Amino acid sequence: MVDEQESQPVNFEERLDCEKRRSEDYLTKLKYLQADFENFKKRNDREAEQIRNYGNECLVTQLLDVVDELELAIKNGEISTSPESLIEGVELTLKKLRKVLEREGVTPIENPEGKVLDPTRHNAIAVVERDDVADSTVIEEIRKGYIMRCKVIRPTIVKVAVKPKNNQNLSNHMEEKNNE
């Protein structure tokens, strides 16, 4: 058997040509795949651009309805002698705007008055010294905060209570005098 293998001459040129063809095939396939991938990236970029440019088209259309109603309320308010009808029109428009926001997943943060400050939902802009409430208790909501699909998009701006410093010092001073 060994003699049979040795007796058949190996045709290196034929094998080389075969390998060259395989190599060219692979190179051609690679070029096609690269071109396909580049086209995919370009198509993806175009689609992402369209989403960025027109993804909120539905929301804007709904907001334009609210703008139309506000313009109508202003027009009617200028000719109306009754402020109640103007207020009613604005309230209805506000209700419609809230529905638009709700459809987009935007909800107001619950009024935090009387609750402990939550820094993930509240932004304290003022501190008021008070004895009648615990430290870091929200005593006033200044501006509503909003959540969009579980993410705080605007924190509630609040005033927070702290214990007065002078009363603590005065209490400590009174205790010291009583102990003497």
Side-chain angles (χ1 to χ4, degrees):
M1 286 200 163
V2 174
D3 291 334
E4 286 179 27
Q5 287 180 352
E6 288 178 11
S7 65
Q8 292 180 356
V10 178
N11 191 349
F12 287 114
E13 285 183 22
E14 214 175 272
R15 288 185 72 189
L16 181 62
D17 286 343
C18 181
E19 289 302 317
K20 279 183 180 179
R21 282 191 302 274
R22 272 184 50 194
S23 179
E24 287 172 3
D25 263 358
Y26 287 141
L27 186 60
T28 303
K29 287 178 183 177
L30 177 63
K31 287 179 181 179
Y32 278 117
L33 281 173
Q34 270 185 317
D36 286 346
F37 183 68
E38 288 298 319
N39 290 336
F40 171 76
K41 278 178 36 178
K42 288 176 187 175
R43 186 173 56 250
N44 220 15
D45 290 344
R46 278 193 309 271
E47 288 173 2
E49 183 70 22
Q50 282 186 329
I51 289 170
R52 275 192 299 275
N53 290 336
Y54 304 108
N56 57 358
E57 183 177 348
C58 181
L59 173 64
V60 170
T61 303
Q62 293 172 7
L63 290 175
L64 289 174
D65 289 343
V66 174
V67 168
D68 292 342
E69 289 184 19
L70 286 171
E71 288 173 344
L72 183 63
I74 290 170
K75 184 178 177 182
N76 288 337
E78 290 172 347
I79 59 174
S80 176
T81 56
S82 168
E84 291 85 20
S85 64
L86 176 63
I87 291 170
E88 185 180 320
V90 172
E91 285 174 344
L92 288 172
T93 304
L94 179 60
K95 188 176 180 181
K96 185 172 188 172
L97 179 58
R98 285 184 178 144
K99 281 183 181 177
V100 168
L101 291 172
E102 205 171 282
R103 272 182 259 150
E104 293 299 316
V106 178
T107 56
I109 293 174
E110 184 182 326
N111 187 333
E113 288 181 23
K115 297 178 183 160
V116 176
L117 176 77
D118 178 355
T120 63
R121 293 174 170 247
H122 310 136
N123 185 8
I125 62 162
V127 175
V128 178
E129 292 183 349
R130 284 185 46 183
D131 264 338
D132 59 332
V133 291
D135 268 349
S136 299
T137 300
V138 175
I139 57 171
E140 183 182 347
E141 178 184 65
I142 295 172
R143 186 184 75 185
K144 261 187 208 263
Y146 290 89
I147 296 172
M148 182 174 186
R149 295 182 190 92
C150 302
K151 178 184 176 192
V152 175
I153 58 173
R154 185 175 92 177
T156 304
I157 294 180
V158 296
K159 284 185 184 178
V160 180
V162 294
K163 294 289 182 190
K165 293 177 185 173
N166 292 341
N167 287 351
Q168 287 178 337
N169 291 342
L170 184 60
S171 304
N172 291 342
H173 184 65
M174 295 286 270
E175 283 180 28
E176 286 175 8
K177 280 193 174 188
N178 289 339
N179 290 339
E180 290 177 357

